[in-house]
Amino acid sequence: MKQLLNTGQLSVHLQAGTAETPLEVTLSERRENEVVFIDFTITSTEAVTFPEAVLDVHFPFVNMHSCWTPCPNGNPKSIRNKGIPEWWPHYDSLISKAAPVGSFYSQDGENRLSYALSDANESVKIHAGAYEEERVGRIRMRLFSSPSVQRTEYKGTLRLDLRAVPYYEAIEDMSSWYEQLFNNQQMAVPQAALEPAYSSWYSFHQNLSQQEIEDQCRLSSEIGCKTIILDDGWQTDDNNRGYKFCGDWQVAESRFPDMRGHVERVQAMGMKYILWLSVPFIGKGSRIWDEFKDNLLFYTEEHECGTLDPRYPEARRYLIDTYRRVVADYNLDGLKLDFIDEFNMSMAEGTALSPDPARDTESLPQAVDLLMMGIRESLTRINPEIMIEFRQTYIGPMIRKYGNIFRVHDCPNDSIMNRMSIMDLRMFSGNTAVHSDMFIWSNEDSAESASLHFINTLFSVPQLSLDMKELSSEHLHMSRHWLGFWRNNRDLLLKGKLKSSYPEMQYPLIESQLGNRKVVTVHARMVSEIFNSDEQEVILINGAMENSLFVKLPQAVSAGALTYDCLGNMVREQALNLDKGLNEIEMPKSGYIVLRK
């Protein structure tokens, strides 16, 4: 059955059912000012597996020049994905990946049409872009295109925000809408989740040893890191970066002969301890392989491992019990839970595609929710301030229930991608702690160039993954300075009113204001506006690798000015008389100036 609803300039279609599987649909509209809610219901007279249903929105392209999506794969044609794609490609959303949202906006950053589907749980394939045949924009959401459970009814709401507000406000409001839909079940964020972290991954990969990690913790704690994230390798003697030996989650004693004592020694340095685990993987080389080899969603020969099917209660119990054991045995402060996006029915094979009475649900999203809530409840009973980290792209509104740290996807050496992904997460993640991807740079790099890794990620919690023993004295000095700067301005950077310009250019201008203080980072030769509200102090940071920056003021201002280089050395103290309109301010590359009225 097909139903059509015309609401203003929007045309909304819902098509569901086939001759073999007839379905009834209803479609209705309600409004809250310029926000339109399309409520729809799909029903069957008996429980059936619904065939693919299509929710389609057509709209005129009026002052729309870019489309924001929440993950780097939103536009399949480009990893930096803020353009207007053609309509036909799609991106996927499900409980463990991304979210069914997006925002069309104008060249000057005004929201034109932001869309969000209430179902951030089940698989949805989203097409959003230019429909050239009709010279319009088009949003298509395909429901039930992946294997799903039998049902008699499906209810959903499509939220269409047409307000003329800054695009970032429209995105933040979508996040708040999901919070209300999910009854504010998002996981609490402890203070420790807002502290800089050291990660073992990029510098050491699986080549870990107890003494080396303690050395790195001592050195990184001295410059301001307060958490260690021990990544893959602690559980295996194998260094091939595969997953053949995942699943047992027993410490490799050849690497960590005294894990409990090791954790205690690191915590005595003033650091929290987070341990990496791959949630779904059961390797063929694990001791529990025979026990769970018939409870898999699929198997990957390349990695010699399978993905557990959480629809089996014994699989969920095993994972929950395992995480509770490692946290309790080693007095851990948190877990980094990886690869939950592998829980995906579109990759299921073999017996996973047929019903099995041994499962207590045939719904994979429901099973994932049961698993992740079980993990949260089990671990918070041990430690109410437990930290749980997830990595982009599994950063949707449902995931905020299970974790309190969202980390940018892997982008080694790419500080611009780090900046872009941080801003995507900050706007859509509410108060969940947003962490950068881990920093690495070459020893031969200049301090000004290496500083860009800090400058581009100031609006997140920084993670480092350097070999601290190899840092030059200048790089060490620079790192200590920027971590100190970040800590001194943490509330301003993380809790202020965040504004960002030009997502399609990877956010070259970002600002945050808290009270009468404002910080502005400039990442290209562009003009920033300062002293344009009630701020008395502005910190202007040069992330453009230029020798000066341009600012625009609504009226003349006299200010005291302190200029610093990337090592934190004050290079100039002066009084500046800034004119109304355009001004050029001399500044060191990767330095900053503090202006006080």
Side-chain angles (χ1 to χ4, degrees), residues 69-80:
T69 48
C71 284
N73 61 344
N75 176 354
K77 290 193 169 184
S78 173
I79 192 168
R80 291 181 177 162

Side-chain angles (χ1 to χ4, degrees), residues 198-209 212-213 229-236 238-243 255-256 276 336 410 412-413 438 440 465-467:
Y198 180 84
S199 168
S200 66
W201 181 243
Y202 284 146
S203 281
F204 297 99
H205 293 109
Q206 291 178 319
N207 300 303
L208 302 176
S209 74
E212 184 64 60
I213 293 302
I229 301 174
L230 186 68
D231 215 295
D232 189 2
W234 61 270
Q235 79 292 352
T236 178
D238 181 69
N239 288 333
N240 293 317
R241 292 183 62 174
Y243 304 104
R255 300 182 186 275
F256 294 89
W276 172 89
K336 172 183 176 179
D410 294 15
N413 294 98
M438 302 83 76
I440 52 171
S465 190
L466 305 152
D467 186 336

Side-chain angles (χ1 to χ4, degrees), residues 7 222 239 312 592:
T7 171
E222 290 173 357
N239 288 333
Y312 291 97
Y592 56 96

